Amino acid sequence: MDLQPVLLGTTVELRPTVPEDWEALYAAASDPLIWEVHPEPNRWQEAAFRTYFERALESRGSLTIRDRETQAVIGASRYVYPDPVRDEIEIGFTFLVRSRWGGGCNREVKQLMLDHIHRYVGAAVFAVGRDNVRSRRAMEKIGGVLQDGRHERGNGQWLADHVFYRIARP
């Protein structure tokens, strides 16, 4: 399963995150309002974002999101924690610049990622901060089904402060 494909949509393109993306991704992420309802609200600060970025590179599943017309970096997402037993993978760690909120950008990004990964696994799961109302609404808009009870990530980790949504292969 290719966790770092190049995915082309109508308005966005996703490509593997590389070390040279640091400056553009940090510039995109440095808005405190992006992170205000996130479980890690200080991620806009350089030290916290540096940790996010290094883990993204280590994951070997991180994708940088760019505007197709301008080529500007507008966010990131990643595939993580593949779970062959449950036939699923997590899509997460997604952020977009605020100018892309409220339109179809998040839907397009997630649909590209879902279309790609559903060739390999039966479902994608999304961990969302329990109090992150914005992201929870976005998950519902794209068809995410809230999972009952606790959900163990593919790496065996439990997240008490998150809820999980699932989108099965059509």
Side-chain angles (χ1 to χ4, degrees), residues 23 29 37 45 58 84 97 102 139 144 170:
E23 190 173 312
V37 295
Q45 297 171 351
E58 290 168 7
V97 295
M139 281 308 312

Side-chain angles (χ1 to χ4, degrees), residues 7-169:
L7 303 173
L8 299 176
T10 305
T11 66
V12 297
E13 69 179 49
L14 288 75
R15 60 157 178 74
T17 300
V18 295
E20 293 77 20
D21 289 333
W22 161 254
E23 190 173 312
L25 276 172
Y26 179 60
S30 63
D31 177 351
L33 294 178
I34 292 173
W35 309 102
E36 72 178 341
V37 295
H38 190 272
E40 293 186 40
N42 67 335
R43 196 171 276 165
W44 63 274
Q45 297 171 351
E46 186 172 355
F49 192 76
R50 176 70 67 184
T51 299
Y52 166 92
F53 184 76
E54 289 171 1
R55 288 183 181 152
L57 292 175
E58 290 168 7
S59 77
R60 300 183 191 271
S62 183
L63 299 169
T64 296
I65 305 166
R66 295 170 47 160
D67 178 284
R68 280 199 68 182
E69 184 178 331
T70 67
Q71 293 298 295
V73 170
I74 59 171
S77 191
R78 64 182 99 146
Y79 295 115
V80 289
Y81 314 126
D83 187 335
V85 173
R86 289 191 293 212
D87 191 29
E88 65 187 23
I89 192 165
E90 188 175 323
I91 295 175
F93 300 91
T94 306
F95 78 91
L96 291 169
V97 295
R98 282 191 301 137
S99 64
R100 293 309 183 97
W101 290 4
C105 187
N106 184 55
R107 180 183 300 273
E108 184 177 1
V109 166
K110 295 295 187 345
Q111 195 60 58
L112 287 167
M113 293 181 76
L114 287 164
D115 289 347
H116 172 72
I117 209 63
H118 278 152
R119 295 177 8 210
Y120 304 101
V121 296
V125 294
F126 301 80
V128 178
R130 185 174 307 285
D131 299 325
N132 190 340
V133 176
R134 225 178 3 237
S135 292
R136 291 184 69 169
R137 277 194 218 124
M139 281 308 312
E140 291 163 6
K141 284 182 182 178
I142 66 167
V145 177
L146 183 62
Q147 301 299 286
D148 292 331
R150 293 173 28 163
H151 184 91
E152 182 180 343
R153 280 185 148 162
N155 67 350
Q157 176 184 27
W158 294 98
L159 295 176
D161 58 346
H162 286 67
V163 294
F164 286 82
Y165 289 84
R166 182 180 176 89
I167 298 179
R169 179 188 299 136

